Amino acid sequence: YNNFNNILWNVVSFYEMYGVCHPRGNGDPEKQRLGSPVLSRGNDSKNVLDKWILAKLQILIKEVTEGMEGYNMTAASRPIVEFIAELSQWYVRRSRDRFKTQGIRSKEKGISDAEVATTVLREALLILSKVMAPFTPFIAEKIYLGITQGKEKESVHLEDWPKADEKLMDEDVIRQMGLVRKVVEMGLSIRAEKGIKVRQPLSKFLISNFQFPISDELLKIIADELNVKKVEIVKDVKSVGNVAVKEDSGIAVALNLEITPELKKEGLVREVVRAINQIRKEQKLTVSDMVAVEYHTDDELLNSVFGDKKFNEEIRRSVLASTLSKGNGGNEVEIDGKKVKINILK
């Protein structure tokens, strides 16, 4: 149940939250689905994550179809669970910021990155509902009707069985993303072994013996996942000093563990954002609720972070706050072992 229903419904809820807008204001009950008429199924997207999930979607159709035709229900159903996990834990999680860029439109086609991502996620959920229908008929129906809004068939069970699009089954993208996820896992393993939280930024991550030329887009994914300033491909990671090294299947990675005073402050910013967003969640605030945040702490380093113009702006932007200023009272939280009182005013 946790690996299927909960994860799947979290993805659907995410789509409902970010894939829907209110054309005449937040109070309008008539909702409009975001999506690009230019990218009707997301097939023309240049984003590597979009290409990857669409390729995985075609493999899902192929594997489930083969399992069904062979009367092998285990082989037919297992790919559905695996796809839902990848859709949630990699595609949606890595694309979260894209869904928040509704106003930023590309020069080429006049569409926002949010519309492209929404189109791709809609396609993934729509096809998924059709593939799931013989196994989980009711939740498949609920997803289908929620996405189509009565503009397609009356029921998912009246739809044709989907066919895999060989043109979208990009094996290079799948292989490359698989290796990217592997080196990320290795880097996270180093962090865990050294007791360094992912919220603490580090300066550099090194990779050697990578099996293909890696694009800047994939390097950025690795950097974001590991929260490092720079990712470099080198001949030998062991030749670089002051790093922790890990090797697996011929690939070697190394993480620079030095935490400078500036990196320490950036890590505290991440901790502050996490603490404030947790309080927002407890107060049941939505993504459209702007707030004013007050803080009080006796810690000199934390006060310098709050008082720094750049960090102050970053925190406000990350927690949807119009102001971030000194105050008294509020929820007491611990940040890096130091006590801070935070008050959120709607």
Side-chain angles (χ1 to χ4, degrees), residues 59-300:
I59 292 174
L60 171 70
I61 297 169
K62 183 173 180 287
E63 290 180 345
V64 175
T65 302
E66 289 174 352
M68 295 280 278
E69 291 178 345
Y71 292 91
N72 187 335
M73 293 304 100
T74 300
S77 59
R78 184 178 291 121
I80 298 174
V81 180
E82 293 171 354
F83 179 81
I84 289 169
E86 291 185 313
L87 180 66
S88 169
Q89 297 165 12
W90 194 251
Y91 180 75
V92 171
R93 188 174 58 79
R94 285 292 329 141
S95 303
R96 291 183 72 90
D97 289 342
R98 298 173 62 204
F99 285 88
K100 301 174 184 177
T101 60
Q102 294 176 10
I104 304 173
R105 298 184 172 274
S106 69
K107 294 179 181 177
E108 294 81 10
K109 295 185 176 180
I111 57 176
S112 71
D113 199 28
E115 288 175 304
V116 177
T118 299
T119 300
V120 171
L121 182 55
R122 181 188 188 278
E123 176 70 5
L125 287 172
L126 185 61
I127 296 297
L128 181 60
S129 71
K130 298 176 186 179
V131 170
M132 286 169 47
F135 303 91
T136 55
F138 299 109
I139 192 170
E141 179 82 326
K142 186 172 179 63
I143 292 170
Y144 177 84
L145 294 178
I147 290 173
T148 59
Q149 295 287 288
K151 295 179 180 178
E152 298 189 31
K153 297 290 178 71
E154 185 180 350
S155 168
V156 70
H157 304 292
L158 299 176
E159 278 280 5
D160 291 333
W161 185 255
K163 294 181 180 179
D165 186 342
E166 297 287 340
K167 294 179 182 178
L168 296 178
M169 211 176 293
D170 193 325
E171 293 181 3
D172 287 338
V173 167
I174 292 173
R175 184 175 68 255
Q176 290 172 12
M177 194 65 78
L179 286 170
V180 164
R181 296 179 73 179
K182 183 176 184 60
V183 298
V184 165
E185 183 182 332
M186 293 167 70
L188 292 175
S189 177
I190 295 175
R191 275 188 174 271
E193 290 171 4
K194 300 300 180 181
I196 302 174
K197 295 179 180 179
V198 180
R199 282 189 291 272
Q200 173 59 60
L202 294 174
S203 61
K204 191 177 293 185
F205 182 66
L206 308 169
I207 308 171
S208 65
N209 300 329
F210 216 56
Q211 299 173 16
F212 59 86
I214 187 165
S215 66
D216 289 342
E217 193 175 8
L218 290 175
L219 288 174
K220 185 178 186 308
I221 289 175
I222 296 171
D224 288 346
E225 280 291 299
L226 295 176
N227 194 14
V228 296
K229 298 294 184 181
K230 191 174 184 181
V231 178
E232 290 183 0
I233 308 297
V234 296
K235 289 185 177 180
D236 183 8
V237 297
K238 297 177 182 178
S239 65
V240 183
N242 195 29
V243 294
V245 178
K246 182 172 280 288
E247 296 181 73
D248 188 6
S249 304
I251 299 174
V253 302
L255 193 61
N256 189 324
L257 303 176
E258 181 185 3
I259 302 175
T260 64
E262 185 68 12
L263 288 174
K264 178 67 175 177
K265 288 182 178 180
E266 290 184 25
L268 289 175
V269 169
R270 297 282 188 100
E271 294 286 352
V272 168
V273 168
R274 179 198 61 79
I276 295 174
N277 279 333
Q278 180 59 35
I279 297 172
R280 283 185 62 105
K281 184 177 179 181
E282 291 168 0
Q283 294 184 0
K284 295 184 172 21
L285 297 173
T286 70
V287 292
S288 61
D289 291 328
M290 290 294 294
V291 297
V293 178
E294 296 177 349
Y295 67 89
H296 177 78
T297 179
D298 294 327
D299 184 70
E300 185 177 337

